[in-house]
Amino acid sequence: MVSRTVAKDIITLRGSAAIVSEFFGYAANSILYNRGVYPEESFVKVKKYGLPMLLTQDDGVKSFISNLNAQLSEWLEAGKLQRVVLVIMSKATGEVLERWNFSIETDNEVVEKGVSREKSDKEIMREIQAIMRQIASSITYLPCLDEPCVFDVLAYTDKDVAVPFTWIESDAKLIANPQMVKLHSFDTKIHKVDTLVSYKNDDEWEEQ
Amino acid sequence: MEDVEVQVLDPETEFLASKRETGNEWELFKENVRPLKRGRNVSVLNDALKAHTQNQLKKSLLEERRRLIEAIDEYQGDDPLHPWIQCVKWIQEAFPSAGDSSGLVLIYEQCVRTFWHSDRYKDDFRYLKVWLEYADNCIDAQIIYTFLDANDIGKTHAAYYIAYALHLESKSKMKAANEILNLGISRSAQPIEKLRDAYKKFLLRSMKMQNANNNEDSMENNNASVRSFGTVLAGEENRRQTTENSNLAKKLLKPEQVQRAPLSVYNDRNVDTIGQNSKLKTNFNPWQTLGTRAERNKENNSIPAKWTSYKVPQRPGPRAGGSTTQGACIQVFVDEECSESKTGTETESGRTSSLQLREMDGKNIKKETELLRENPLRNFPSKSLPR
């Protein structure tokens, strides 16, 4: 569908922050589902971004993610959020097996001057859709997580941000010698989000 | 708990900053990729997928495979299994669809056949893994597990018992599966925690199955338990092995139907002794053909065909590089058209068998793979086979 005039929508800082934090919520759910961190039966299907998306019914996880989103929105509006990482770890050993890294570039002019930008909402949705599809397809190359896993969320912010009450400072929980795959990005013209997944190079041929 | 941190240079940031793009082939051709438990290297995967359309890449893939096979022959070190493992790993990555033309099944078979009598590798985990992966590729792996048991291969590893029990479970031989897991535990197979964990999950599944069976409800209820059975099992082993999953679902559905006759599944009509293949044909196992095959296998086993007597019709000259799926068999992804010239040596099975792998052209690899899937031990000397 080609049209001369592309209908653009106005994006405000607040609106963009909402889009990004909402994206993160759905992406996190999708990752937890696809990687089997929580059982399939605990998810319910909803429609979002033109795709069937899965959301957890587990109260603990639900409230964790919604609190997270609120905090991320706040940081995004202040232009202070640099990165959000969802870390998957072995329940038994605490070893980091996988990291889903969402890097954020903020247009500081918007933050400082309060201007708004224009971009078609549909376009943004399409970009997000592409990322969600990739997340679901990533089982193509990701190692099998056949032990019980837990997840955690790390947020990288500007140095001058005070640590909120329910958060603690932590180490980066990196993977040594990771395999890394870059996925698609999306851009609201105010926040640009790059997605990357890194995982352990596991050698199943050696004795565990 | 949530965490806050600021970082400077870690591999991920560096990767993002470098603006390196990862190719998209993995996503575009994901249906043709068989997931590996250990995961895949995405750039190798992308290249392998590109090879389908780019002849240069394809040629270099075949070259690499040939080189790895030669390495097996030329190996001088003290661990002759090592080059085989390198070759297997590479083929798994480079031929992601693991189709019949990849030669993967052939190399499994030749590897296990080369070392089956060797004491040195009886407890080697890598060697066991090759056997288990071979078993995964066969239509009925029972004979493989029996063989391993009879030859004391892999009996110190939890993986053997877990795989064997899963196999038995897929045939609804719950008692036998139970016995196998317990046997492994009593032998303190390592890692023991993994074995215990697998046993717990097995018990849960068999309880669920029993509860579902005891219900007077209709098929619906049983279907639900069948479905979740399939899902749980898939999650256990490999969630993504959809072929296995659907096979399991199919195999399990039929028992439910028979149940409508007044017999619950747990009246084990199969004799649950390990290794009694022939019983297959008397039970309600839907795959009547499976029973028949098992019978045919038995006959073939007593008169094994030696690899050398299988004449490979040589096609003279190289085939045109550009042409692709000319053969009657349609292999979507990998097609080996480079015919490799005969090395001219008449060979016995054993060390030089790898030469035969090199000689094979695409069609023969496929044919042999199919034969092996049906009858995994067909090339083994008859005296080695379990009675």
Side-chain angles (χ1 to χ4, degrees):
Chain A
M1 177 192 83
V2 178
S3 51
R4 288 265 173 81
T5 49
V6 181
K8 289 204 202 231
D9 305 286
I10 309 255
I11 317 252
T12 61
L13 178 58
R14 176 159 290 181
S16 175
I19 293 176
V20 176
S21 58
E22 188 182 53
F23 160 77
F24 183 75
Y26 279 93
N29 269 283
S30 175
I31 293 168
L32 295 176
Y33 172 78
N34 279 299
R35 303 306 288 136
V37 181
Y38 290 92
E40 288 181 3
E41 309 85 63
S42 65
F43 288 84
V44 79
K45 229 182 249 195
V46 303
K47 267 219 126 185
K48 184 79 184 172
Y49 309 123
L51 293 169
M53 300 293 302
L54 287 133
L55 290 182
T56 180
Q57 295 297 93
D58 180 310
D59 285 323
V61 182
K62 262 204 283 198
S63 68
F64 177 85
I65 291 187
S66 65
N67 287 338
L68 183 68
N69 280 354
Q71 182 59 71
L72 292 180
S73 273
E74 194 188 304
W75 280 328
L76 284 162
E77 281 183 45
K80 302 265 184 215
L81 186 65
Q82 297 175 359
R83 215 192 302 180
V84 186
V85 182
L86 191 146
V87 183
I88 298 181
M89 301 166 287
S90 153
K91 186 171 184 175
T93 66
E95 186 190 4
V96 179
L97 301 172
E98 230 169 78
R99 283 168 57 96
W100 292 82
N101 183 332
F102 301 90
S103 279
I104 298 153
E105 263 173 51
T106 310
D107 184 343
N108 275 313
E109 192 193 352
V110 174
V111 178
E112 284 155 23
K113 301 195 188 143
V115 295
S116 50
R117 296 273 184 248
E118 279 187 353
K119 183 162 178 175
S120 143
D121 273 344
K122 262 209 176 112
E123 178 71 30
I124 298 177
M125 193 181 88
R126 255 200 299 269
E127 291 172 6
I128 293 183
Q129 202 188 74
I131 301 181
M132 293 303 188
R133 284 217 165 98
Q134 280 195 318
I135 292 178
S137 313
S138 292
I139 56 172
T140 307
Y141 56 84
L142 287 172
C144 177
L145 299 173
D146 63 0
E147 49 173 326
C149 290
V150 293
F151 81 100
D152 201 351
V153 177
L154 309 179
Y156 293 58
T157 64
D158 290 353
K159 272 203 158 90
D160 58 351
V161 169
V163 180
F165 185 54
T166 50
W167 294 60
I168 58 164
E169 287 208 11
S170 125
D171 71 304
K173 296 196 204 288
L174 293 171
I175 298 176
N177 291 325
Q179 289 274 341
M180 293 180 287
V181 180
K182 187 169 181 307
L183 304 181
H184 292 310
S185 329
F186 80 93
D187 188 358
T188 64
K189 290 277 182 254
I190 297 182
H191 297 103
K192 178 167 188 282
V193 180
D194 281 314
T195 315
L196 176 93
V197 58
S198 68
Y199 54 101
K200 245 180 62 130
N201 231 333
D202 200 17
D203 198 355
E204 82 198 290
W205 289 88
E206 303 310 316
E207 185 77 76
Q208 282 98 351
Chain B
M1 266 204 267
E2 302 130 327
D3 310 294
V4 175
E5 238 263 313
V6 177
Q7 251 303 358
V8 181
L9 257 188
D10 56 83
E12 294 172 12
T13 319
E14 199 208 330
F15 188 75
L16 281 173
S18 72
K19 300 287 176 201
R20 276 199 318 268
E21 291 292 325
T22 311
N24 256 353
E25 287 82 6
W26 68 264
E27 190 189 2
L28 291 173
F29 299 114
K30 60 182 183 278
E31 302 84 22
N32 285 310
V33 179
R34 190 183 196 196
L36 288 181
K37 257 191 127 185
R38 68 173 181 274
R40 288 178 177 277
N41 179 317
V42 175
S43 38
V44 172
L45 177 62
N46 283 339
D47 278 344
L49 292 168
K50 272 187 253 179
H52 174 62
T53 43
Q54 293 176 25
N55 277 313
Q56 195 46 45
L57 267 174
K58 201 185 305 197
K59 280 201 164 62
S60 69
L61 273 184
L62 294 174
E63 264 308 304
E64 180 68 13
R65 185 173 73 177
R66 194 209 312 252
R67 190 187 70 75
L68 283 165
I69 293 173
E70 271 170 16
I72 293 173
D73 283 335
E74 293 161 9
Y75 183 77
Q76 299 283 348
D78 61 0
D79 183 15
L81 182 61
H82 177 77
W84 286 95
I85 303 292
Q86 297 303 103
C87 188
V88 168
K89 281 197 207 177
W90 182 86
I91 295 185
Q92 283 178 335
E93 297 246 21
F95 293 88
S97 55
D100 283 5
S101 298
S102 62
L104 197 54
V105 173
L106 264 70
I107 198 136
Y108 287 147
E109 197 264 340
Q110 293 191 6
C111 177
V112 297
R113 188 151 43 90
T114 306
F115 297 106
W116 74 268
H117 52 273
S118 135
D119 276 338
R120 173 183 182 170
Y121 291 120
K122 276 207 202 303
D123 279 331
D124 192 302
F125 184 65
R126 301 166 300 164
Y127 183 55
L128 174 66
K129 267 217 70 92
V130 181
W131 270 111
L132 295 180
E133 304 230 349
Y134 188 32
D136 267 348
N137 274 281
C138 296
I139 293 172
D140 182 10
Q142 181 61 53
I143 188 156
I144 291 185
Y145 293 111
T146 316
F147 184 89
L148 293 176
D149 185 47
N151 286 284
D152 286 334
I153 295 172
K155 66 180 196 298
T156 57
H157 296 287
Y160 165 70
Y161 302 95
I162 296 176
Y164 193 2
L166 276 171
H167 164 80
L168 290 165
E169 195 178 342
S170 75
K171 291 175 161 177
S172 301
K173 294 185 166 181
M174 306 305 270
K175 244 173 68 184
N178 196 323
E179 276 169 28
I180 287 294
L181 288 168
N182 275 315
L183 180 60
I185 294 178
S186 72
R187 286 180 178 169
S188 297
Q190 293 303 314
I192 188 75
E193 277 318 308
K194 206 166 182 206
L195 188 51
R196 283 198 220 275
D197 196 54
Y199 186 45
K200 267 187 248 161
K201 294 199 181 127
F202 164 77
L203 287 176
L204 276 171
R205 287 195 300 270
S206 53
M207 275 199 302
K208 262 194 215 167
M209 203 178 163
Q210 183 153 35
N211 285 339
N213 292 343
N214 289 340
N215 276 339
E216 280 315 69
D217 266 292
S218 64
M219 274 287 279
E220 240 178 335
N221 212 18
N222 294 329
N223 270 344
S225 74
V226 166
R227 264 201 301 262
S228 62
F229 191 111
T231 311
V232 172
L233 197 67
E236 168 77 41
E237 249 279 298
N238 184 338
R239 189 183 276 271
R240 289 88 53 132
Q241 281 194 348
T242 40
T243 337
E244 199 176 340
N245 199 0
S246 60
N247 280 348
L248 277 169
K250 262 189 254 161
K251 281 180 184 168
L252 292 165
L253 263 174
K254 290 300 171 71
E256 303 305 319
Q257 283 176 7
V258 177
Q259 227 184 296
R260 283 206 231 103
L263 276 173
S264 82
V265 174
Y266 275 140
N267 273 0
D268 271 317
R269 296 202 280 169
N270 327 334
V271 176
D272 268 331
T273 359
I274 302 144
Q276 294 213 355
N277 246 353
S278 54
K279 294 297 178 177
L280 267 177
K281 67 175 177 341
T282 58
N283 69 5
F284 50 72
N285 190 303
W287 287 7
Q288 296 301 323
T289 49
L290 198 64
T292 324
R293 270 194 197 127
E295 285 305 287
R296 266 190 295 179
N297 288 351
K298 288 226 156 65
E299 292 181 16
N300 285 337
N301 286 340
S302 56
I303 316 166
K306 265 199 175 172
W307 192 241
T308 47
S309 60
Y310 184 83
K311 291 282 187 233
V312 176
Q314 283 295 309
R315 264 162 246 210
R319 277 188 240 167
S323 58
T324 48
T325 51
Q326 296 286 326
C329 20
I330 299 175
Q331 172 65 13
V332 176
F333 251 108
V334 185
D335 234 327
E336 290 78 63
E337 303 104 23
C338 307
S339 70
E340 336 221 350
S341 51
K342 211 176 180 141
T343 54
T345 44
E346 285 289 301
T347 50
E348 299 285 314
S349 66
R351 283 199 59 89
T352 42
S353 55
S354 53
L355 288 174
Q356 290 148 350
L357 188 65
R358 241 183 298 154
E359 283 171 15
M360 305 272 272
D361 58 29
K363 258 219 177 136
N364 287 319
I365 291 186
K366 242 179 126 60
K367 181 123 204 286
E368 184 62 20
T369 303
E370 277 167 25
L371 290 169
L372 287 172
R373 281 193 207 272
E374 272 196 45
N375 185 359
L377 299 181
R378 66 191 287 269
N379 294 324
F380 275 70
S382 53
K383 60 174 164 53
S384 73
L385 298 168
R387 293 279 156 241

